[in-house]
């Protein structure tokens, strides 16, 4: 008995993170990373450039994430190193020097409204996340062998970051399991989390069903 083919939810998971513009992980070639970036977006012929802050609106605290490459102070670029969303305070590293940005009193605290997301993610930041998976998703799997569950086997084939059940899940056979996602680059973690969450929703809606290798392969295309 295998879980419902993942092809049903893979497109929706990809749509959930469509905003990412950087390919899933794997560093871009050195010669591409070293090319200078234009300080301003291209302007079509006959048009006047808009002020930077109109062209790139600020973020809200709940939208800022570690690893985001952002504009600050108009056209300067940096990536988010630490987030304190409850305080609306964020630490940035300069994109070129890779060092934290300081002011005269110490590490500079940026407000979300001062930052504008470029749509890119830094390769200098490694992230992790945790997804709670109900026990029902492991129906029919012998206790103690959850790591071998068909659900995790299929998800690991699709995800490009490690997926590992946290230890201690075997102590309570009724408690939900916690699945560690990562480590990996932030955009890859976001995609993997969306993939896992959509798989869980799909199983909760429809339950497991027998799936041949052929139907599974067709569903992923």
């Amino acid at each position: 008995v295998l879980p419902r083919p993942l092809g049903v939810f893979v497109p929706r998971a990809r749509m959930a993170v469509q905003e990412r513009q950087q390919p899933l992980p794997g560093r871009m070639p050195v010669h591409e990373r070293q090319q200078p970036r234009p300080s301003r977006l291209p302007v079509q012929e006959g048009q006047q450039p808009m002020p930077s802050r109109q062209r790139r609106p600020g973020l809200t605290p709940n939208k800022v994430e570690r690893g985001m490459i952002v504009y600050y102070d108009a056209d300067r670029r940096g990536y988010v190193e630490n987030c304190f969303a409850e305080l609306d305070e964020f630490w940035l590293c300069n994109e070129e020097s890779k060092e934290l940005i300081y002011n005269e009193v110490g590490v500079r605290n940026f407000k979300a409204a001062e930052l504008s997301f470029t749509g890119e993610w830094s390769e200098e930041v490694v992230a992790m996340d945790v997804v709670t998976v109900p026990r029902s998703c492991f129906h029919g799997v012998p206790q103690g062998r959850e790591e071998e569950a068909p659900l995790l086997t299929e998800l690991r084939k699709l995800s490009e970051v490690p997926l590992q059940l946290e230890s201690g899940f075997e102590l309570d056979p009724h408690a939900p399991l916690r699945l560690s996602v990562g480590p990996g680059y932030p955009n890859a973690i976001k995609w993997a989390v969306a993939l896992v969450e959509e798989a869980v929703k799909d199983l909760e809606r429809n339950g497991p069903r027998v799936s041949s290798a052929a139907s599974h392969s067709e569903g992923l295309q």
Side-chain angles (χ1 to χ4, degrees), residues 36-204:
R37 300 177 182 273
S39 60
R40 296 185 178 274
L41 299 175
V43 179
Q44 295 182 358
E45 185 176 355
Q47 292 184 342
Q48 294 296 322
M50 296 176 63
S52 296
R53 295 195 181 279
Q54 289 185 9
R55 193 167 61 235
R56 295 187 288 266
L59 297 169
T60 55
N62 64 331
K63 295 295 184 181
V64 183
E65 300 181 37
R66 287 189 71 238
M68 279 183 166
I69 297 179
V70 296
Y71 288 106
Y72 67 96
D73 294 348
D75 288 325
R76 296 184 177 181
R77 290 169 59 101
Y79 57 87
V80 180
E81 176 63 32
N82 281 318
C83 297
F84 308 98
E86 299 83 1
L87 303 174
D88 190 15
E89 294 181 354
F90 304 92
W91 292 1
L92 303 187
C93 286
N94 181 276
E95 187 182 29
E96 294 182 359
S97 69
K98 311 294 189 296
E99 296 180 353
L100 281 171
I101 298 171
Y102 287 82
N103 55 21
E104 62 278 2
V105 296
V107 177
R108 179 176 172 185
N109 292 318
F110 289 86
K111 300 295 185 183
E114 300 178 82
L115 310 177
S116 301
F117 186 33
T118 66
E120 302 169 73
W121 295 84
S122 173
E123 294 183 347
E124 302 299 324
V125 175
V126 175
M128 291 188 68
D129 208 337
V130 175
V131 180
T132 299
V133 183
R135 283 277 178 177
S136 59
C137 293
F138 296 87
H139 177 73
V141 178
Q143 185 176 353
R145 302 186 62 180
E146 287 85 353
E147 283 284 2
E148 304 171 17
L151 169 67
L152 294 184
T153 300
E154 294 194 49
L155 286 172
R156 285 173 176 141
K157 291 178 182 178
L158 296 173
S159 173
E160 299 187 32
V161 298
L163 302 177
Q164 181 73 37
L165 289 175
E166 293 188 351
S167 61
F169 64 85
E170 67 279 357
L171 300 179
D172 185 349
H174 304 292
L177 286 73
R178 288 167 55 86
L179 183 66
S180 294
V181 182
Y185 297 134
N187 59 331
I189 297 297
K190 285 173 65 68
W191 190 86
V193 167
L195 184 73
V196 173
E197 290 177 343
E198 192 60 40
V200 170
K201 291 178 183 178
D202 185 72
L203 283 174
E204 290 181 325

